[in-house]
């Protein structure tokens, strides 16, 4: 394999290891934390429209590379998606 492929594979395996050892949180843990810390959450297990909307925007922004969440992604960066 070429050096670019090996670097990408190594980065991915490091990411998996950090997730498996608990160094990085799982997506489910991150979502629960996001909801618990949202300004509109009242601790009553109710996910209001505003919480759900903000969560979806955050997830979209992570997936599009606009928002980096170190506790979820570590040092892995998602390249921003552009329309160019």
């Amino acid at each position: 394999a070429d050096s670019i492929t090996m670097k990408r594979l190594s980065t991915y395996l490091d990411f998996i290891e950090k997730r498996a050892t608990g160094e990085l949180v799982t997506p489910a843990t991150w979502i629960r934390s996001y909801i618990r810390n949202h300004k509109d959450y009242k601790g009553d297990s109710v996910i209001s429209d505003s919480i759900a909307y903000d969560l979806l925007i955050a997830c979209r922004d992570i997936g599009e590379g606009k928002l980096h969440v170190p506790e979820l992604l570590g040092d892995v960066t998602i390249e921003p998606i552009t329309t160019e």
Side-chain angles (χ1 to χ4, degrees):
D2 63 81
S3 63
I4 294 172
T5 302
M6 289 306 296
K7 183 178 182 210
R8 184 170 288 175
L9 183 59
S10 178
T11 299
Y12 186 64
L13 290 175
D14 288 344
F15 173 77
I16 291 171
E17 180 182 11
K18 289 176 183 177
R19 180 73 53 80
T21 62
E23 186 176 335
L24 297 177
V25 299
T26 64
T29 298
W30 179 82
I31 289 169
R32 284 191 295 273
S33 177
Y34 183 92
I35 291 169
R36 278 192 214 109
N37 293 305
H38 193 279
K39 62 182 175 53
D40 294 340
Y41 186 61
K42 297 178 175 83
D44 56 3
S45 298
V46 174
I47 308 303
S48 67
D49 289 345
S50 65
I51 296 171
Y53 177 81
D54 290 347
L55 175 61
L56 289 175
I57 295 301
C59 290
R60 180 199 65 193
D61 289 349
I62 292 168
E64 290 180 352
K66 296 177 184 176
L67 176 63
H68 182 69
V69 181
E71 65 268 25
L72 183 63
L73 300 174
D75 55 6
V76 173
T77 56
I78 298 173
E79 294 299 318
I81 296 173
T82 62
T83 57
E84 297 175 13

